[in-house]
Amino acid sequence: PAAKFTRDTTQGKVRMSLSLTRAIGALVWLLVSADSADEATLVSLSPDEGTVGTALEIRLSGDVGTKTPRVWMTRAGDPSPKPRRTKLKVASFALAGDGSMTLNASFKKTKTGAGLYDLHVRPKGKGLSEQVFAGAFTIVAPQLSDVSPDEALAKTEVTLTGSAFGGPKKPKVRAIPNDGGKAKKLKVLAVNADGSLQLRLPK
């Protein structure tokens, strides 16, 4: 609607009529709606916990563009201006008919250890902004449940059973003497289908 003005001769001020106020309100609503439409929304992240090498499926909706977005994680609650990033490598992505996007991704390493992480998504495209999804993923630390045998000679083989050992690359394993001394590297011979590790003891 066109703006209309009236003059208040007693105060010498120009007052906007109600029609202009409504016009401004409509414009603000359109701007807010446009911004909201540009925001990506996290539909699901599966699984919601894992470790290095865990295959992740990220489903997004909203305006996520038509190209592979940049995705990474940062430690939840990190107060630093530039938190350290755990980069996610996207192996593939697919757009659905409803405009949603599915990403298949994983991470090779993290410098910030186990804990709760925020997921960051930066779509590619003009006017698309980065979105942060708080507490979306938990990185779990390796858990050891059994060593077999629990006593062995140097240069013989042992099996470690547990979880969150990482993959698909072989993890690094070291043995630290209880009475002190330098940690010794154990050679990882195989990562078994059940997640256990086959190792050779050092000299």
Side-chain angles (χ1 to χ4, degrees):
K4 296 180 182 179
F5 298 88
T6 58
R7 179 172 294 278
D8 187 337
T9 56
T10 60
Q11 297 183 17
K13 297 179 181 178
V14 176
R15 294 182 177 178
M16 290 187 297
S17 68
L18 183 60
S19 60
L20 180 58
T21 304
R22 288 176 177 172
I24 294 174
L27 179 60
V28 171
W29 181 86
L30 288 172
L31 291 173
V32 171
S33 298
D35 289 341
S36 299
D38 289 343
E39 292 184 357
T41 302
L42 180 64
V43 177
S44 63
L45 174 56
S46 180
D48 59 4
E49 68 174 27
T51 187
V52 174
T54 299
L56 305 175
E57 183 184 84
I58 305 169
R59 292 189 61 207
L60 304 168
S61 65
D63 197 345
V64 293
T66 57
K67 297 181 180 180
T68 309
R70 292 182 62 187
V71 287
W72 68 92
M73 297 188 295
T74 58
R75 193 69 181 263
D78 189 333
S80 59
K82 293 183 178 180
R84 284 190 169 186
R85 297 183 178 185
T86 296
K87 297 180 181 179
L88 296 180
K89 183 178 181 181
V90 178
S92 64
F93 80 99
L95 289 168
D98 59 358
S100 63
M101 177 185 287
T102 301
L103 306 171
N104 295 302
S106 62
F107 59 99
K108 293 182 178 180
K109 61 181 179 180
T110 180
K111 295 182 179 180
T112 45
L116 188 64
Y117 280 74
D118 299 336
L119 174 67
H120 298 249
V121 177
R122 180 179 292 169
K124 293 181 180 179
K126 187 177 181 180
L128 302 181
S129 57
E130 176 188 330
Q131 301 298 316
V132 182
F133 306 105
F137 190 76
T138 301
I139 295 180
V140 295
Q143 300 292 324
L144 181 63
S145 59
D146 184 63
V147 181
S148 180
D150 58 3
E151 188 175 295
L153 296 174
K155 301 182 71 174
T156 56
E157 294 184 13
V158 297
T159 300
L160 301 186
T161 303
S163 61
F165 289 151
K169 291 186 177 181
K170 297 175 181 178
K172 295 179 181 179
V173 183
R174 292 181 174 84
I176 304 174
N178 284 338
D179 56 357
K182 187 177 180 180
K184 294 187 176 182
K185 185 178 179 180
L186 281 67
K187 184 174 182 180
V188 180
L189 302 175
V191 180
N192 302 321
D194 61 357
S196 62
L197 304 177
Q198 200 74 25
L199 309 171
R200 178 177 291 129
L201 297 177
K203 295 180 182 179

